[in-house]
Amino acid sequence: MGVFATTEDPGSSGHEQVVFCQDKQTGLKAIIGIYSTALGPALGGTRFYPYASESEALADVLDLSRGMAYKNALAGLDLGGGKAVIWGDPERIKSEALLRAYGRFVESLAGRYYTACDVGTYVADMDVIARETSYVTGRSVEHGGAGDSSILTAWGVFQGMRAAAEHVWGAPSLAGRRVGVAGLGKVGKYLVGHLVDDGAEVVATDVNPKALEWARATHPQVALVDDAAALVAADIDVYAPCALGGALNDDTVPALRAKVVAGAANNQLAHSGIEKLLADRGILYAPDYVVNAGGVIQVADEIEGFNFERAKLRATRIYDTTREILRLADAEGVPPAVAADRLAERRMADVGRLRTIHLR
């Protein structure tokens, strides 16, 4: 295995470090992006995905690692932001040897980056990676880890949604509201359960027939629609994108009938300016990296020695953080996404500055 390119100045992206790695024998091609270590070591998951090109993989890791820095800052964690991608089809090339080679790649960064699960990687994979590095979270319960991080991801999204509901309708509850959930994967399934328990009327969709079968069997009261386009155009109060990014774009936002957007998907805004389009239409957007931080809170807790109740309490505070961001947005006359960015940047600057005070 060999690192074939490393840079401390990746240009206009603002990242501290971007590292490429290749191990030809296992087929490993990976990129780790470290956006900021102002608050501590960078933490972010590893996405295993068959990108169309290296440039597409690089663009994704740069966007995702920046998002993790802001997410970790607003979650109150003493951790910076990073992300990794493995370029390839996990169904074809994932193996013990490849994951262990990747683990040595992570170890070579000497603690600047902690990895975890993401699209295409799972708890079992983290256990394999951990055979080569100690800088890994999201491990199985059998190995002292937190297990499935989607549990607290969904809990945090629900808390953020409650705060948004209070801001718009005056009560921190979804009871009586019609909520559209796009994506019934690991997080979406748990979120639907919280919404049903809270008295919401749920409408949902998924591209996977098995997920739809699960919904019919588990929550027969949930209405199912054909696709995300139908969900966007439906008569709903809240839209919860819980699949891949880019759900809020130039086509979906004009068609959206919901008054609130709060979901688990990363990078929901397809491009800069969508946040203003949402605001102009009177749609309240609870920033994705604020409300979906429950998962990173859960895996970060492993670094201390995992305690579920402690992690859940921290994830519950996403309600308070979302309330503060929405209040700040109103006070400053800016969209919530802008207010969230400002709050995260303030914490990174204020707390990061303390590292200039040398202890020895």
Side-chain angles (χ1 to χ4, degrees):
M1 183 180 77
V3 174
F4 61 78
T6 305
T7 177
E8 295 293 337
D9 182 20
S12 60
S13 70
H15 286 66
E16 291 182 13
Q17 188 176 18
V18 179
V19 185
F20 293 71
C21 181
Q22 179 171 266
D23 181 57
K24 291 183 178 179
Q25 283 192 306
T26 62
L28 173 69
K29 289 190 287 187
I31 311 171
I32 289 179
I34 297 175
Y35 182 77
S36 171
T37 56
L39 297 177
L43 169 64
T46 295
R47 179 165 295 188
F48 204 143
Y49 191 77
Y51 295 99
S53 65
E54 183 180 285
S55 60
E56 184 180 299
L58 177 60
D60 205 27
V61 79
L62 293 178
D63 286 344
L64 292 168
S65 55
R66 180 183 184 277
M68 287 306 304
Y70 283 67
K71 179 186 293 191
N72 292 343
L74 287 176
L77 301 173
D78 291 332
L79 292 164
K83 201 79 173 186
V85 297
I86 298 175
W87 176 18
D89 184 350
E91 296 296 323
R92 289 196 312 106
I93 68 169
K94 186 190 290 184
S95 66
E96 177 189 350
L98 182 147
L99 292 172
R100 291 183 70 159
Y102 173 67
R104 294 184 71 83
F105 176 24
V106 172
E107 182 70 18
S108 73
L109 294 177
R112 281 178 56 77
Y113 168 69
Y114 278 80
T115 195
C117 302
D118 196 77
V119 174
T121 59
Y122 302 90
V123 169
D125 298 329
M126 296 305 112
D127 284 342
V128 174
I129 291 167
R131 295 171 73 173
E132 301 294 339
T133 182
S134 57
Y135 304 114
V136 56
T137 60
R139 298 195 63 192
S140 66
V141 174
E142 293 81 1
H143 288 279
D148 184 5
S149 64
S150 59
I151 295 171
L152 289 189
T153 302
W155 180 247
V157 171
F158 178 60
Q159 298 307 316
M161 198 181 288
R162 289 179 61 239
E166 181 182 42
H167 195 83
V168 174
W169 297 298
S173 171
L174 283 305
R177 301 293 169 190
R178 199 160 191 248
V179 182
V181 179
L184 296 171
K186 293 185 289 186
V187 177
K189 288 179 178 179
Y190 287 115
L191 180 60
V192 167
H194 296 316
L195 291 168
V196 169
D197 289 346
D198 197 39
E201 181 184 350
V202 180
V203 187
T205 191
D206 197 286
V207 297
N208 187 342
K210 290 184 178 179
L212 300 177
E213 290 172 14
W214 169 88
R216 292 188 187 98
T218 311
H219 297 292
Q221 71 272 51
V222 171
L224 299 174
V225 295
D226 290 339
D227 52 32
L231 189 64
V232 165
D235 185 15
I236 54 177
D237 299 302
V238 181
Y239 177 48
C242 294
L244 294 177
L248 302 171
N249 56 49
D250 294 316
D251 295 323
T252 57
V253 172
L256 192 59
R257 301 175 68 182
K259 290 297 182 185
V260 170
V261 175
N266 288 312
N267 298 332
Q268 291 171 25
L269 304 179
H271 60 77
S272 178
I274 292 292
E275 70 281 2
K276 186 177 185 305
L277 184 58
L278 287 163
D280 289 345
R281 293 208 59 227
I283 300 170
L284 182 71
Y285 169 61
D288 51 46
Y289 69 80
V290 177
V291 303
N292 69 13
V296 75
I297 289 170
Q298 180 168 327
V299 297
D301 198 78
E302 290 184 28
I303 297 171
E304 293 184 52
F306 184 63
N307 179 286
F308 181 80
E309 291 307 317
R310 178 179 63 203
K312 185 176 182 181
L313 180 61
R314 288 173 173 168
T316 302
R317 293 178 188 142
I318 289 173
Y319 170 80
D320 300 310
T321 304
T322 307
R323 286 185 73 195
E324 172 62 14
I325 286 166
L326 299 179
R327 183 202 65 77
L328 184 65
D330 282 354
E332 298 186 356
V334 297
V338 174
D341 283 356
R342 289 177 180 177
L343 202 60
E345 287 162 2
R346 189 179 307 159
R347 182 167 184 254
M348 284 189 275
D350 290 349
V351 178
R353 181 195 61 79
L354 300 178
R355 290 174 176 263
T356 65
I357 303 173
H358 296 289
L359 301 180
R360 66 178 120 202

